[in-house]
């Protein structure tokens, strides 16, 4: 008799006391734990627990991505009677292709572990294959974090690997149509007005993290109407499926091993409509909505989610009418060992505008001050609490970069629990946790409250700059934007980076070591707690000491550069290029 293996967090009816296998910890939600409390549960080890393997697979997947991108550029360019240049399609389809290929590899590698376990079977839901086609990148991204989507993806892989399964009754794919929130309606209205106003603007700033005040100042000095625009949502989709083109894609993509054969099939099934069936109509919408003759295009976010924008950018670059620049919007860029998006920023644009860092022989603009970070000093509250700031990552792997992936996050939460307990005692109970706004499926708040009944929460609806005013110290626990913000505000900060998850690039590790030597950054829990104990009675004396301030300024200038003279520097850059 075979044992049941559950592939995602979709709960199933099971018999009491029977042994149940979980494909990975991504199945092991609190609801699943309750469901299986009377069963013996065994969780298969995660295939990327070894960072050596994670890093090695990154380079393999990157090479495969480039090969498949070239093939798709030829097929889609020919079919749509548009450019077959790889950089045109890198802008349009690149983010989906590299994310989907990595997701498929992760689920394939985890499922393959089962191949040597002949005593296991799983239940697979019946589904209509056409229901698996996403409308656009954002739809794909949202679906890829859901259990049902992953169940169906793993189900296809499971069958192709010839593993044992039983079909169970069909469950309809969650509808992609969502009610538009008032926020989206307002943003669409702002976009409609904004693009009409800036129809003749030479310089387009779209969907950036730049405040309207800064945009206003820069645009007025450029002698053009100032606007702030958001991600576009004016798509049109049909129900048609071009099976012949999808079959051609499956036939022509790389197939040098078992994974690549399965991936070719999966790409042909999951390829979003925006890139095939509904490309032309949405291309027409994009060209109609967005300005006709921009010289320079800037964005922080729309290189990823905003397919209408990406098609428009590709068209403008194809006609050599515009140059395209992506602005840094997060703090892990350049510092983490691997970052798939960083490579996309550089290859898909005419230049990447960093917060101060450079890369040899790469088109990095490193001398412009960040328009996202605020150039201000924030004083701490001397007798205030300490705030421990959490990061959040999806339960399912979705992209290659050096952060906690999949069940690494449970180990990350173990760190938080340990640190909170120690700081709680050290600072006489005056400590709060700031949870991330988006939980991403790990239920971090519920998990920690179950272990620590006395947790006090920070109000995470407030921005970091607003919330830290009420504290004496920011205790950051991730290699992310947050500690760059607090350092740039000259706010007393401790940073704990667990190198098991947050591998740092070799050539910038020395910058973190400099912070370590003055007591800002630490790589193990005991050292940071010992340091906190030594400075806790007078944090400001330590923080405002000469050595600490010197190393803080050096680090900020390289990774979080700000300036009151931002407008003159940006104007100089815009008019020069």
């Amino acid at each position: 008799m075979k044992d049941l293996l559950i592939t995602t967090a979709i709960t199933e009816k099971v018999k009491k006391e029977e042994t149940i296998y979980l494909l990975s910890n991504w199945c092991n939600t609190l609801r699943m734990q309750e469901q299986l409390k009377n069963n013996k549960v065994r969780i298969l080890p995660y295939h990327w627990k070894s960072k050596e393997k994670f890093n090695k697979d990154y380079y393999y997947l990157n090479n495969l991505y480039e090969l498949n991108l070239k093939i798709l550029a030829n097929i889609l360019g020919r079919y749509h009677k548009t450019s077959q240049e790889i950089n045109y399609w890198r802008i349009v389809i690149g983010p989906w292709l590299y994310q989907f290929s990595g997701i498929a590899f992760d689920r394939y590698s985890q499922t393959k572990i089962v191949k040597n376990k002949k005593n296991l079977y799983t239940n697979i839901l019946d589904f209509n294959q056409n229901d698996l086609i996403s409308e656009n990148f954002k739809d794909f991204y949202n679906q890829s974090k859901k259990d049902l989507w992953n169940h169906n993806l793993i189900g296809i892989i499971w069958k192709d690997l010839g593993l044992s399964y039983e079909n169970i009754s069909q469950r309809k794919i969650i509808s992609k149509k969502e009610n538009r929130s008032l926020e989206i309606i307002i943003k669409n209205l702002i976009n409609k007005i904004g693009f009409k106003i800036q129809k003749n603007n030479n310089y387009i700033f779209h969907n950036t993290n730049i405040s309207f005040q800064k945009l206003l100042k820069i645009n007025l000095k450029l002698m053009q109407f100032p606007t702030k625009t958001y991600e576009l949502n004016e798509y049109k989709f049909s129900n048609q499926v071009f099976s012949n083109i999808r079959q051609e894609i499956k036939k022509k993509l790389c197939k040098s091993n078992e994974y690549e054969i399965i991936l070719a099939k999966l790409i042909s099934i999951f390829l979003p409509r925006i890139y095939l069936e509904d490309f032309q109509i949405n291309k027409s919408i994009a060209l109609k909505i967005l300005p006709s003759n921009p010289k320079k295009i800037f964005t922080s976010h729309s290189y990823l989610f905003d397919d209408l924008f990406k098609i428009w950018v590709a068209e403008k670059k194809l006609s050599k009418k515009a140059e395209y620049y992506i602005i840094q919007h997060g703090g892990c860029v350049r510092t983490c060992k691997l970052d798939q998006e960083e490579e996309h920023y550089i290859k898909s644009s005419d230049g990447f505008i960093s917060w101060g860092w450079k890369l040899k022989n790469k088109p990095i603009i490193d001398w412009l001050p960040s328009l996202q970070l605020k150039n201000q000093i924030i004083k701490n509250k001397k007798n205030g609490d300490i705030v421990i700031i959490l990061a959040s990552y999806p339960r399912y792997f979705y992209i290659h970069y050096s952060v906690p992936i999949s069940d690494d996050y449970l180990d990350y939460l173990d760190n938080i629990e340990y640190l909170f307990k120690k700081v709680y005692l050290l600072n006489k109970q005056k400590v709060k946790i700031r949870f991330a706004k988006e939980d991403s499926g790990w239920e971090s708040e519920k998990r920690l409250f179950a272990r620590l009944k006395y947790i006090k929460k920070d109000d995470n609806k407030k921005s970091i700059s607003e919330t830290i005013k009420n504290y004496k110290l920011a205790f950051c626990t991730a290699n992310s934007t947050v500690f760059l913000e607090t350092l740039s505000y000259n706010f007393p900060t401790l940073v704990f980076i667990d190198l098991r998850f947050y591998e740092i690039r070799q050539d910038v590790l020395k910058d973190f070591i400099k912070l370590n030597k003055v007591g800002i950054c630490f790589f193990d829990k005991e050292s940071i707690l010992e340091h906190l104990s030594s400075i806790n009675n007078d944090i400001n004396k330590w923080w405002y000491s000469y050595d600490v301030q010197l190393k803080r300024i050096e680090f900020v200038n390289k990774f979080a550069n700000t300036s009151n003279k931002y407008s003159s520097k940006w104007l100089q850059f815009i008019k020069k290029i």
Side-chain angles (χ1 to χ4, degrees):
M1 183 177 176
K2 293 186 175 183
D3 293 320
L4 173 65
L5 181 141
I6 297 173
T7 59
T8 67
I10 296 175
T11 54
E12 303 179 25
K13 289 183 179 179
V14 297
K15 295 177 182 177
K16 287 183 178 181
E17 297 182 2
E18 70 177 336
T19 300
I20 302 296
Y21 286 78
L22 301 182
L23 183 59
S24 171
N25 255 316
W26 65 52
C27 309
N28 198 23
T29 60
L30 298 179
R31 183 181 176 190
M32 183 67 77
Q33 290 175 18
E34 177 64 23
Q35 172 83 4
L36 301 180
K37 63 184 179 183
N38 295 316
N39 296 87
K40 295 177 183 177
V41 178
R42 295 179 181 174
I43 303 171
L44 299 188
Y46 188 48
H47 74 102
W48 269 335
K49 212 58 177 168
S50 162
K51 293 306 173 188
E52 183 179 349
K53 180 180 184 297
F54 181 74
N55 297 340
K56 181 181 177 182
D57 289 342
Y58 168 80
Y59 293 108
Y60 161 69
L61 288 168
N62 237 23
N63 290 333
L64 178 61
Y65 159 72
E66 292 292 339
L67 295 171
N68 279 340
L69 178 61
K70 187 175 181 180
I71 295 167
L72 284 171
N74 289 331
I75 296 171
L76 295 173
R78 172 177 49 80
Y79 180 77
H80 293 308
K81 295 182 175 58
T82 188
S83 175
Q84 295 180 39
E85 290 181 12
I86 194 168
N87 282 336
Y88 180 100
W89 289 100
R90 186 187 303 281
I91 293 169
V92 174
I93 201 174
W96 177 82
L97 182 61
Y98 65 67
Q99 284 205 20
F100 183 78
S101 300
I103 288 170
F105 185 84
D106 175 61
R107 311 310 188 260
Y108 160 80
S109 299
Q110 193 63 21
T111 304
K112 196 173 179 183
I113 294 172
V114 182
K115 205 165 185 178
N116 296 323
K117 299 181 183 294
K118 305 297 183 184
N119 63 318
L120 300 178
Y121 80 99
T122 196
N123 292 321
I124 296 178
L125 293 164
D126 289 328
F127 56 84
N128 182 337
Q129 192 165 286
N130 291 343
D131 287 337
L132 301 178
I133 304 173
S134 302
E135 290 179 343
N136 53 21
F137 182 91
K138 189 167 188 179
D139 180 33
F140 149 74
Y141 178 79
N142 290 336
Q143 294 296 326
S144 69
K145 294 190 288 185
K146 295 178 181 177
D147 293 307
L148 184 55
W149 187 91
N150 281 282
H151 176 91
N152 288 314
L153 173 64
I154 294 167
I156 295 171
I157 295 169
W158 189 282
K159 290 177 181 179
D160 283 2
L161 290 174
L163 302 172
S164 181
Y165 69 93
E166 292 181 8
N167 281 325
I168 55 177
S169 60
Q170 184 175 2
R171 185 182 299 192
K172 189 176 180 181
I173 295 289
I174 298 170
S175 173
K176 302 178 183 74
K177 299 293 182 183
E178 297 178 358
N179 293 327
R180 290 188 171 188
S181 68
L182 179 60
E183 181 184 0
I184 290 176
I185 292 170
I186 292 171
K187 285 181 177 179
N188 285 345
L189 181 61
I190 292 171
N191 280 346
K192 192 171 183 179
I193 296 169
F195 287 123
K196 281 187 177 180
I197 291 173
Q198 63 176 339
K199 188 174 182 180
N200 297 316
N201 283 6
N202 289 324
Y203 311 107
I204 306 300
F205 291 84
H206 174 61
N207 197 20
T208 66
N209 278 349
I210 305 170
S211 69
F212 182 72
Q213 182 183 1
K214 289 182 178 179
L215 282 175
L216 178 65
K217 189 172 183 178
I218 290 172
N219 277 286
L220 289 177
K221 290 192 176 184
L222 289 168
M223 303 295 289
Q224 62 180 28
F225 287 108
T227 60
K228 186 175 178 69
T229 53
Y230 301 91
E231 180 185 331
L232 295 160
N233 289 289
E234 304 303 314
Y235 297 96
K236 285 188 179 179
F237 295 105
S238 65
N239 292 318
Q240 57 188 337
V241 177
F242 295 167
S243 300
N244 56 335
I245 305 299
R246 290 180 179 271
Q247 284 302 309
E248 182 183 352
I249 288 169
K250 177 183 175 182
K251 182 179 178 181
K252 291 187 175 179
L253 289 176
C254 295
K255 291 187 284 290
S256 63
N257 58 42
E258 182 181 65
Y259 159 68
E260 291 175 17
I261 293 169
I262 292 174
L263 176 65
K265 176 181 177 179
L266 292 173
I267 288 174
S268 74
I269 293 171
F270 284 87
L271 181 70
R273 296 182 185 281
I274 188 76
Y275 310 128
L276 182 55
E277 289 86 358
D278 298 312
F279 177 81
Q280 292 293 353
I281 190 170
N282 284 290
K283 174 182 167 181
S284 298
I285 291 169
L287 294 178
K288 183 179 179 181
I289 291 175
L290 291 154
S292 303
N293 297 299
K295 291 182 180 178
K296 319 293 177 190
I297 302 166
F298 300 89
T299 189
S300 301
H301 296 288
S302 282
Y303 70 90
L304 185 65
F305 288 106
D306 202 334
D307 282 311
L308 291 176
F309 172 81
K310 290 186 287 183
I311 293 169
W312 173 73
V313 168
E315 286 290 317
K316 296 307 168 187
K317 281 181 62 62
L318 174 65
S319 62
K320 303 190 186 304
K321 287 184 177 180
E323 293 178 3
Y324 173 46
Y325 296 88
I326 299 175
I327 306 168
Q328 181 174 344
H329 69 270
C332 188
V333 187
R334 183 66 179 93
T335 59
C336 59
K337 185 173 184 177
L338 302 179
D339 189 341
Q340 201 162 32
E341 286 199 333
E342 183 184 312
E343 298 206 12
H344 178 73
Y345 300 149
I346 294 167
K347 287 184 177 180
S348 65
S349 68
D350 292 292
F352 180 71
I353 301 171
S354 78
W355 287 351
W357 52 265
K358 62 179 71 176
L359 273 174
K360 190 175 181 181
N361 300 322
K362 300 292 183 182
I364 307 296
I365 297 96
D366 66 318
W367 54 274
L368 289 174
S370 168
L371 295 178
Q372 177 180 333
L373 299 173
K374 298 173 183 176
N375 185 53
Q376 67 181 98
I377 303 300
I378 298 178
K379 299 288 186 182
N380 67 334
K381 193 174 181 179
K382 289 185 179 180
N383 296 316
D385 292 3
I386 293 172
V387 59
I388 298 176
I389 303 170
L390 268 66
S392 179
Y393 305 98
R395 191 156 37 93
Y396 293 98
F397 165 86
Y398 76 104
I399 192 172
H400 251 98
Y401 68 127
S402 301
V403 298
I405 58 164
S406 194
D407 60 4
D408 282 345
Y409 194 70
L410 297 177
D411 295 328
Y412 172 84
L413 289 182
D414 287 343
N415 281 344
I416 300 300
E417 178 185 2
Y418 181 83
L419 291 168
F420 181 86
K421 286 178 178 177
K422 296 293 185 180
V423 176
Y424 183 84
L425 294 174
L426 193 153
N427 203 45
K428 300 177 181 178
Q429 306 180 14
K430 296 178 69 176
V431 57
K432 290 182 180 178
I433 288 184
R434 181 181 172 92
F435 291 94
K437 289 182 181 179
E438 184 179 350
D439 180 74
S440 298
W442 280 115
E443 306 166 292
S444 56
E445 193 171 322
K446 289 182 180 178
R447 288 176 187 267
L448 286 176
F449 267 97
R451 305 183 212 173
L452 304 166
K453 305 295 185 184
Y454 45 89
I455 285 179
K456 291 184 287 185
K457 293 194 303 179
D458 172 66
D459 181 4
N460 62 8
K461 292 178 183 178
K462 294 181 180 179
S463 67
I464 286 290
S465 59
E466 281 298 312
T467 205
I468 59 176
K469 292 176 182 177
N470 300 311
Y471 296 97
K472 71 174 182 179
L473 178 75
F475 196 122
C476 303
T477 60
N479 182 13
S480 66
T481 310
V482 174
F483 87 91
L484 295 181
E485 285 187 79
T486 58
L487 289 182
S488 71
Y489 299 146
N490 199 12
F491 188 87
T493 301
L494 289 181
V495 186
F496 170 59
I497 296 178
D498 191 329
L499 295 176
R500 291 179 299 166
F501 322 129
Y502 297 103
E503 290 188 289
I504 295 172
R505 212 167 303 183
Q506 195 61 40
D507 66 329
V508 299
L509 183 58
K510 63 181 183 295
D511 298 297
F512 286 83
I513 291 173
K514 288 178 182 177
L515 293 184
N516 173 258
K517 287 182 177 178
V518 294
I520 294 176
C521 179
F522 293 85
F523 308 113
D524 70 275
K525 297 188 288 289
E526 298 307 326
S527 294
I528 196 169
L529 291 169
E530 183 180 343
H531 177 66
L532 176 58
S533 178
S534 69
I535 64 171
N536 194 43
N537 290 333
D538 195 348
I539 284 176
N540 286 1
K541 181 180 179 182
W542 157 73
W543 183 253
Y544 292 109
S545 65
Y546 177 80
D547 287 344
V548 170
Q549 286 297 303
L550 179 65
K551 297 307 176 187
R552 179 195 70 83
I553 291 168
E554 284 181 9
F555 194 89
V556 165
N557 286 343
K558 185 172 182 178
F559 297 107
N561 181 31
T562 62
S563 172
N564 283 328
K565 297 179 180 179
Y566 66 87
S567 61
S568 61
K569 292 187 178 184
W570 272 81
L571 286 169
Q572 179 187 346
F573 169 70
I574 292 169
K575 290 179 178 180
K576 180 181 177 182
I577 58 179

